[in-house]
Amino acid sequence: MSIRRATINDLPEIDSIEQRVFDDAWPREEIGQVLSDAGGIRTWVLEREHTVIGYLMVHEGADTVHILNFAIDIPWQHQGFGKQLLTSVLRKFPETSKVELEVKRSNWPAIQLYLNAGFIPQEVRPRYYPDGEDALIFRKCIHHQQETTSELV
Ligand SMILES: CC(C)(COP(=O)(O)OP(=O)(O)OC[C@H]1O[C@@H](n2cnc3c(N)ncnc32)[C@H](O)[C@@H]1OP(=O)(O)O)[C@@H](O)C(=O)NCCC(=O)NCCS
């Protein structure tokens, strides 16, 4: 297993995972723009035996790292790969960074992962997603483990 920066050559594999795992998948063109480094979004992939099985996209602002997209392919889910990818990527950012992400209120596997990784639910954005579902906003400081709460979940 290895984790490396993605390139435009990873577009077919990332796009096919994206279409498999999300009902509201990003369009292939948008993923292509991200992989071409448009807008300063960086992507890492997790590979197993030369096959991409997951990816994580982040935008680094002045003091906040925003996780924009994150998935592990269906056959490889719930085997620890998402946790490894998230932990490895966050290690690459300065200790002082804050990390922020949005997650659908119903996405219990992802919410569990973020809580276990020390993220704290901070606010609800009602009807944030195109399908009308609320987003939960999670934040954490990279190297400061904090107590978790499921108050908003
Ligand atoms: C969310 C996702 C990235 C997690 O990756 P993963 O490799 O499946 O997660 P891991 O195996 O590393 O699990 C880490 C923790 O997440 C939680 N988790 C993962 N899958 C779970 C499931 N099906 N049910 C409940 N909890 C789950 C658990 O807390 C787990 O820790 P544990 O095994 O010690 O209990 C992956 O399931 C996925 O791609 N889902 C579809 C896309 C998505 O929802 N992306 C996130 C959008 S915000």
Side-chain angles (χ1 to χ4, degrees):
M1 195 207 73
S2 67
I3 292 170
R4 63 166 171 80
R5 282 289 296 277
T7 72
I8 192 67
N9 297 329
D10 298 307
L11 176 59
E13 283 174 293
I14 291 177
D15 178 53
S16 78
I17 296 172
E18 175 83 12
Q19 306 308 321
R20 268 196 294 280
V21 303
F22 291 111
D23 294 336
D24 50 355
W26 287 17
R28 184 184 175 100
E29 191 179 85
E30 200 174 326
I31 298 171
Q33 283 168 1
V34 166
L35 295 177
S36 309
D37 219 8
I41 298 170
R42 286 186 272 169
T43 304
W44 281 266
V45 290
L46 191 152
E47 274 185 322
R48 241 182 91 95
E49 294 168 3
H50 306 292
T51 301
V52 171
I53 66 159
Y55 54 88
L56 194 149
M57 298 179 184
V58 306
H59 181 268
E60 187 178 11
D63 64 350
T64 303
V65 175
H66 197 141
I67 297 178
L68 298 172
N69 199 348
F70 176 32
I72 298 292
D73 203 1
I74 291 165
W76 303 101
Q77 288 178 5
H78 213 180
Q79 295 169 52
F81 293 116
K83 194 172 173 177
Q84 283 180 53
L85 180 57
L86 179 66
T87 309
S88 304
V89 170
L90 293 187
R91 270 198 214 111
K92 300 176 191 301
F93 291 93
E95 191 166 346
T96 49
S97 302
K98 298 181 197 75
V99 193
E100 179 176 298
L101 58 88
E102 297 96 34
V103 59
K104 281 187 170 182
R105 195 174 200 141
S106 64
N107 191 347
W108 189 241
I111 290 169
Q112 277 297 305
L113 190 162
Y114 299 137
L115 289 172
N116 285 352
F119 283 83
I120 299 176
Q122 302 276 331
E123 55 181 286
V124 179
R125 293 205 181 130
R127 303 184 64 77
Y128 177 84
Y129 292 99
D131 64 4
E133 193 168 344
D134 298 345
L136 300 182
I137 312 302
F138 277 78
R139 294 194 187 97
K140 77 171 269 187
C141 295
I142 283 188
H143 289 295
H144 301 292
Q145 200 67 23
Q146 298 173 7
E147 285 195 17
T148 59
T149 169
S150 55
E151 201 176 289
L152 294 171
V153 179

